Amino acid sequence: MMNYRQCYDRSIADPASFWAEQAAAVAWYRPPRNILENLADGSHRWFADGTLNSSYLALDRQIALGRGEQAALIYDSPVTGSQQTYSYRELRDEVARLAGALRALGVGKGDGVIIYMPMVPQAAMAMLACARIGAVHSVVFGGFAPYELALRIDDAKPKLLLTASCGLEFDRVIEYKPLVDKALELAMHQPAHVLVWQRPQAMAELYPGRDLDWRETVAHAEPAEPVELASGDPLYIMYTSGTTGKPKGIVRDNGGHAVALHYALPTIFGMQAGDVWWGISDVGWVVGHSLIVYGPLMNGCTTLFYEGKPVRTPDAGAYWRVIEEHRVNALFCAPTAIRAIRKEDPHGELLANYDLSSLRQLFLAGEKLDSSTQHWLEELTGKPVHDHWWQTETGWPVTAPCTGLDGHELRAGSSNRAVPGYHVQVVDEEGRLLGPNETGSIVISLPLPPGCAQTLWNDHPRYLQAYLRAFPGYYHTGDGGYVDEDGFVYIMGRTDDVINVSGHRLSTGEMEELLALHEAVAECAVIAVQDALKGHVPLGLVVLKDDARIAEEALQRELVALVRERIGALACFQRVVVVKRLPKTRSGKILRAVLRKIADGETYAPPSTIDDPAILAEIAARLSGAGLARAC
Ligand code: AMP
């Protein structure tokens, strides 16, 4: 086994030679000679002259290595009461036919395709089919409302949109097609066709000409072979919340991504070909891309594809049932899922019914892993529970225990040490490097390792502005925290206006833009307040126009409905408090950090730049009167 310290030091001292070695694990069509290029604007390009195909690596390559009959994907769907296993050969054949159908519809290399689907295997097939012919997929999480989908349609300008007739919750059917129809009414850009996977729980109405039935279209298609792509050709766009209402289209390349995932699965997660891996997320998130579809398949693992919830499908023993039934070896999930299980089954009585002997370890990320949840889970399962930290932008873990390397260490309360390739540092507001245990902005020295986004879709200037300009020479993560004297990293939370609700990343700026649309609202601030289950939830503080005549309750109802309609229920926006004024700096910036502290009951010192310190006490009284602020 390789040693963590040696690998790490080499990766930082000589990134090009370190990653040239890791790139040898990938079956390129043409192996790269040009490993790392420094571009004048501070961004980088990995493996520029290499050529490959990500769908080939995930499917055909595994068959060539003798895994054709091994289970590639196990679909386990408690919401429909069904299960289905696809071998690598079966999955490849499905994907090749779908890719042929896309091509027959005029989709080719570089074309955008939006995938708006529930957790059915066809969503993974759609991604892999796009990758096969060089189309650029953008999966939009099925919980997003039509307005959000429309924003992404207008940015990605897809030739084709793939959807399903419905998604399923434990207690209801959510029709997707009317949401897609609404989004297309709102969007300026129109895809030529919408391909619809009909599910028996709610059949969708198809508009002749534009809408096509998935099964019929694929039935007549010729299978498509993988095409040779350049390393830098985009594989997918993943939209994520930035600090404004316009989501950022993170672009993932083919080459860097493949090298990173070939490295990450064995090195971090300890996964080998033939192991069963369970990435518990949705294909609409980055985890769904790296740890449900591409990562496990490119490494010859069996990936579990779960259409259900941690609780109520049918109970809080659901995860344990899946682990036992499919002999899961390791899994990824968000802390919020574990908190939901703990709430319903605090003593783990349901777990006693299941055999977890196949499970080696659990990895948690997406938000801070509180030590109480970590200890509870460790005690209950008797397995190591690891915190690790990454972002949509990086595409794979930045800090994590490298459980596949010798000499890796763990430290509870920390999201662990930097993974080889990532030089994690902490800087102050002026960009000066800080020492051990000093809190500041967490940055990563350039170059970022392979796999990390090097641009935004059609908006390179915004990439440079958002990530590389704040601290020259470093990538700006947007997270605050510190690194201890042994190199363990502690993430304290975002330093910008992005919040994490149940592991979902949302922009408070976007919610503020929506609240400001209401005719009674003069100005507003949306902040994150702590929540026992969801980690954080948004809270709206609103200043009314002088002539506004609306009761607080009615205003709250209307604003909650507005956010739900425009962003979706996943925003969990439920509380609005009317205040007389908002605290601001003399230059007019709303002091959100102080507001957060007040809401969380932390002690705060009025910043020296504050315009009128009396406002803070006023707001603290309002929040505690509304039962929102905790006692200091
Ligand atoms: P996303 O891009 O949606 O994956 O969200 C990334 C953000 O989630 C990070 O910038 C962090 O703020 C937060 N996050 C992810 N993992 C962790 C973790 N292990 N501990 C604390 N925060 C985390």
Side-chain angles (χ1 to χ4, degrees), residues 255-525:
H257 177 248
V259 173
L261 294 181
H262 276 77
Y263 185 68
L265 270 280
T267 308
I268 297 170
F269 302 105
M271 298 307 288
Q272 301 296 334
D275 282 343
V276 180
W277 167 260
W278 188 13
I280 313 179
S281 180
D282 186 281
V283 282
W285 308 119
V286 68
V287 176
H289 289 56
S290 300
L291 293 187
I292 297 180
V293 179
Y294 291 107
L297 296 178
M298 282 180 175
N299 285 279
C301 302
T302 298
T303 188
L304 248 167
F305 205 90
Y306 178 68
E307 188 182 26
K309 290 274 186 286
V311 295
R312 295 192 230 170
T313 56
D315 58 29
Y319 280 12
W320 321 133
R321 192 264 307 158
V322 172
I323 293 168
E324 174 186 289
E325 207 166 317
H326 304 295
R327 309 295 299 155
V328 171
N329 298 122
L331 63 79
F332 169 104
C333 76
T336 186
I338 303 301
R339 289 196 293 265
I341 295 173
R342 184 183 184 184
K343 183 161 173 275
E344 298 212 353
D345 185 19
H347 305 295
E349 281 155 18
L350 292 166
L351 184 137
N353 305 329
Y354 298 101
D355 168 15
L356 302 193
S357 59
S358 61
L359 191 67
R360 300 194 288 256
Q361 47 192 348
L362 301 93
F363 293 85
L364 273 71
E367 57 182 310
K368 193 163 175 51
L369 174 58
D370 57 286
S371 51
S372 155
T373 303
Q374 181 169 15
H375 292 145
W376 180 82
L377 187 59
E378 257 169 355
E379 266 176 34
L380 199 71
T381 59
K383 313 281 175 180
V385 172
H386 306 301
D387 189 8
H388 66 309
W389 167 68
W390 46 305
Q391 311 181 301
T392 303
E393 289 83 346
T394 65
W396 64 292
V398 182
T399 70
C402 289
T403 66
L405 296 180
D406 246 358
H408 77 269
E409 289 170 44
L410 305 165
R411 192 157 293 179
S414 146
S415 57
N416 293 297
R417 288 203 280 218
V419 170
Y422 289 101
H423 192 190
V424 176
Q425 313 235 53
V426 183
V427 296
D428 69 10
E429 280 171 16
E430 271 78 50
R432 284 185 297 250
L433 280 176
L434 294 174
N437 300 309
E438 289 186 306
T439 300
S441 291
I442 302 200
V443 295
I444 302 167
S445 293
L446 299 176
L448 289 169
C452 299
Q454 296 285 347
T455 192
L456 295 178
W457 187 246
N458 285 335
D459 202 350
H460 194 58
R462 189 176 178 198
Y463 174 85
L464 298 175
Q465 191 57 36
Y467 302 111
L468 304 191
R469 292 289 174 261
F471 303 111
Y474 302 103
Y475 164 83
H476 177 218
T477 67
D479 282 320
Y482 62 96
V483 181
D484 73 12
E485 54 286 343
D486 299 319
F488 286 87
V489 177
Y490 297 77
I491 304 294
M492 314 296 285
R494 299 287 304 190
T495 56
D496 56 16
D497 299 331
V498 172
I499 65 170
N500 230 302
V501 179
S502 296
H504 299 159
R505 181 163 149 184
L506 299 160
S507 158
T508 53
E510 180 177 14
M511 289 185 227
E512 287 173 7
E513 282 174 34
L514 287 179
L515 303 195
L517 294 175
H518 194 285
E519 58 181 11
V521 173
E523 58 176 352
C524 61

